[in-house]
Amino acid sequence: MFYIPEINSTNDYLKELLRSQKLEEGTIVRTDFQTAGKGQVGNNWESERGKNLLFSTVLYPDFVEISYSFILSKMVSVAIVDTLLAENIENISIKWPNDIYIGDKKLAGILIENSLSGNNITQCIIGIGLNLNQEQFACAPNPVSLKQITGKEYRIEDFLSSLKENIFARYQAMIESDEASINTDYFKYLYRKKGFHQYRANDEFFEAKIKTVLPTGQLVLETRVGEVKRFYFKEIEFI
Ligand code: BTN
């Protein structure tokens, strides 16, 4: 475990370390503050110094083919849900593809960066930002922290050790080819899995319901007139 009080990004730092040395699966880099915290698709990740959980870990899932890499997103998402359930948090959901929501607000984000050899994943950097104790946010869209929900102060290290155990337990299921338990729980907690909701794609608004999420990670929606459409991340916006 590497604890560095301030760094650019735990994902980038861990990737850099791995260029020059071998690290055990599950090695963690944690920080209190990122100067260039990365979100998905080039966004930045806002987090007040010392308030939240910011870390990255590395796995070597070389048994996973790149076209099925979405299983890693699902595995990490359900491990975060497991950890929150143990804290008795309610209204938890996973907003496709892998945002962790409480009610209609975002509690945590996951940034996965894979390295490949042929068709398989040789190295998977999993970066997690989870809002624990921050009480005010400047520019993150729609954020929430656990403290804002429960009023309690959380110990970052304790939360991390419980999350780390849950990630390993779910990863073990993957290793044992028990993807079914991960898929079942991913769908169980999927945000907006029931009923029709508003979406936008290609500047067009429409109502649709979630039919499924494919192993490739594509979201499958069915419109009011029964048209079935598939979307990759960023091709579709939840309204
Ligand atoms: C998202 O946009 O939802 C993903 C956010 C991921 C943020 C975490 S914080 C720790 C790790 N290091 C980074 O630079 N990003 C991830």
Side-chain angles (χ1 to χ4, degrees), residues 215-226:
T216 55
Q218 282 166 296
L219 180 70
V220 184
L221 296 180
E222 184 173 348
T223 66
R224 288 267 186 205
V225 291

Side-chain angles (χ1 to χ4, degrees), residues 77-133:
S77 305
V78 295
I80 297 177
V81 171
D82 294 339
T83 313
L84 294 169
L85 288 172
E87 292 287 338
N88 296 315
I89 305 298
E90 293 172 355
N91 300 318
I92 309 164
S93 61
I94 303 166
K95 180 169 174 257
W96 176 85
N98 58 10
D99 287 343
I100 306 302
Y101 266 49
I102 305 291
D104 285 310
K105 294 192 162 175
K106 180 162 168 174
L107 179 81
I110 302 167
L111 179 66
I112 293 184
E113 296 181 271
N114 292 319
S115 306
L116 309 175
S117 170
N119 278 332
N120 292 65
I121 300 174
T122 46
Q123 174 182 297
C124 171
I125 306 278
I126 299 164
I128 298 177
L130 190 146
N131 300 325
L132 284 176
N133 298 314

